[in-house]
Amino acid sequence: SIIAILELATAKYWVDNFNKNTITYKSKKQVYIQTWHGDRGFKKIAYDSPFFTKKLIESEICDLFISGSEYGERKIRTAFKYSGEIMKTGCPRNDVLVKDNGRVRSLIKQKINLSENTCVLLYAPTLRRDVVEGHKLQSYNDIDLVEVIKTLEKMTKMKWLCLIRAHSAVDGLEGIPSSEIDIIDVTAYEDMSDLLLISDFLITDYSSSAGDFVLLNRPLVLFQPDRENYNKYDRPFYFDMEQSPYMIAKNQENLIEIVLKIDKEKIPRKCREIHDFYGTVETGEASKNVVEYMLSKK
């Protein structure tokens, strides 16, 4: 919009977690900070992806990239062909996960009308290439979340419900059992970090949210029944999934088997293995450090 162009033209600072491929001019007086949203993502992005055909200008106009891992730093260099400054202090949106404040969790649960004593399973699949952004529902992907909820309740003797959050580029997921009161669609909820913070268990597929969720030392499973097709037609990966520390289910039966075998006491060690795999660097002070950088450029 004209107003957006005016704001960009007159702002001292630009902070973005996506690329600005529609912007062609930034003055020398402006500061552009890139807080890329997939620091520990599996999928090849930008110039690293064989599907990518656009031209990015981040390498020309960006003043600072933010990274939360050695893995993320390497990806920034190759995917954006960026040779400028990188602040490896953690991802600002993850500060809330590192600090894991119980009071904040309670406030978020109240906002979504969740009981304080209810355990939360979050199902958050990533985008598929065949989904038109903002105009189509995405396939439910052969997962039986009702069975997962019942399994968790039997294991823990606690009440569970499932939150479903589709990728922000689509309207939601099709085929969600509308008759199940224990499944709530929260796709419209804006802040993914909030949803991760209140969740006790995460199931995703190829979303970078997996690398963020382990900061909470809670269990997660990658549900990947379509990995071969996804890798071939949607996105290739940066690494072999089977060589990673993640728990991976290839079908519903496999998923339930993994859930039944989860040892709560061993989850923190599993999460540390994932941190080591990425070379994670999360300080919990990333937002503060970025703001201090901004103020130094006044």
Side-chain angles (χ1 to χ4, degrees):
S1 67
I2 296 297
I3 294 176
I5 293 172
L6 177 64
E7 292 291 345
L8 282 168
T10 57
K12 168 68 177 178
Y13 305 101
W14 294 352
V15 182
D16 205 337
N17 72 349
F18 200 64
N19 60 68
K20 291 193 176 299
N21 57 352
T22 59
I23 303 301
T24 57
Y25 177 76
K26 179 178 81 75
S27 78
K28 293 182 179 179
K29 295 181 179 180
Q30 292 178 301
V31 179
Y32 178 19
I33 299 171
Q34 176 54 249
T35 60
W36 186 254
H37 61 280
D39 186 80
R40 272 139 283 178
F42 312 137
K43 303 166 289 187
K44 287 189 175 182
I45 60 168
Y47 293 122
D48 287 343
S49 171
F51 298 114
F52 191 78
T53 57
K54 300 177 182 178
K55 181 184 184 300
L56 294 179
I57 59 173
E58 266 64 29
S59 61
E60 302 168 15
I61 67 171
C62 193
D63 297 286
L64 180 72
F65 258 87
I66 310 303
S67 172
S69 66
E70 294 172 6
Y71 172 91
E73 183 176 14
R74 292 193 299 270
K75 188 163 65 171
I76 289 167
R77 296 296 186 199
T78 60
F80 294 93
K81 297 182 179 179
Y82 177 74
S83 59
E85 184 179 356
I86 296 177
M87 181 186 291
K88 196 162 61 178
T89 184
C91 301
R93 73 178 184 282
N94 284 342
D95 286 347
V96 67
L97 305 181
V98 176
K99 294 178 179 179
D100 189 10
N101 186 300
R103 178 175 173 276
V104 174
R105 266 186 281 144
S106 296
L107 290 173
I108 297 168
K109 278 193 167 185
Q110 289 175 23
K111 191 187 299 185
I112 311 177
N113 295 319
L114 301 182
S115 167
E116 186 67 31
N117 298 321
T118 300
C119 298
V120 177
L121 166 68
L122 175 63
Y123 176 55
T126 196
L127 181 68
R128 284 348 186 238
R129 186 173 293 277
D130 63 348
V131 178
V132 180
E133 293 190 5
H135 298 285
K136 191 175 179 182
L137 295 177
Q138 184 167 298
S139 170
Y140 198 51
N141 205 21
D142 300 325
I143 189 170
D144 185 345
L145 293 171
V146 175
E147 184 182 16
V148 177
I149 293 171
K150 290 180 178 178
T151 302
L152 287 169
E153 288 184 335
K154 186 175 180 180
M155 283 177 59
T156 63
K157 310 301 180 187
M158 299 282 288
K159 173 64 178 174
W160 283 76
L161 59 77
C162 179
L163 301 180
I164 293 180
R165 188 182 194 269
H167 191 279
S168 58
V170 301
D171 288 342
L173 301 181
E174 63 179 354
I176 298 173
S178 58
S179 60
E180 295 294 335
I181 61 173
D182 296 330
I183 296 179
I184 303 171
D185 188 350
V186 291
T187 297
Y189 192 92
E190 184 176 9
D191 196 334
M192 181 62 168
S193 295
D194 281 3
L195 300 178
L196 293 176
L197 183 63
I198 65 171
S199 298
D200 300 285
F201 198 122
L202 171 67
I203 298 176
T204 184
D205 44 17
Y206 315 105
S207 169
S208 62
S209 61
D212 300 328
F213 188 71
V214 292
L215 293 167
L216 294 164
N217 286 321
R218 299 172 196 166
L220 74 97
V221 178
L222 305 181
F223 184 69
Q224 301 178 343
D226 62 340
R227 187 201 301 169
E228 185 176 341
N229 283 340
Y230 186 89
N231 201 12
K232 185 176 181 180
Y233 298 111
D234 270 83
R235 296 278 192 89
F237 303 133
Y238 278 103
F239 54 83
D240 182 351
M241 287 289 178
E242 297 300 329
Q243 300 302 314
S244 75
Y246 285 103
M247 294 185 287
I248 302 173
K250 297 180 180 179
N251 52 51
Q252 178 70 21
E253 182 181 0
N254 191 199
L255 174 59
I256 297 301
E257 288 174 355
I258 292 173
V259 172
L260 287 170
K261 291 179 181 177
I262 287 177
D263 184 343
K264 186 177 179 181
E265 300 301 318
K266 294 181 180 179
I267 292 302
R269 186 179 68 184
K270 173 63 70 173
C271 291
R272 283 196 300 273
E273 290 175 2
I274 296 172
H275 292 321
D276 292 342
F277 179 79
Y278 287 121
T280 300
V281 180
E282 289 283 358
T283 62
E285 299 291 336
S287 301
K288 176 176 178 291
N289 295 337
V290 173
V291 170
E292 287 178 350
Y293 171 91
M294 293 165 70
L295 294 176
S296 74
K297 299 296 180 180
K298 289 184 68 173

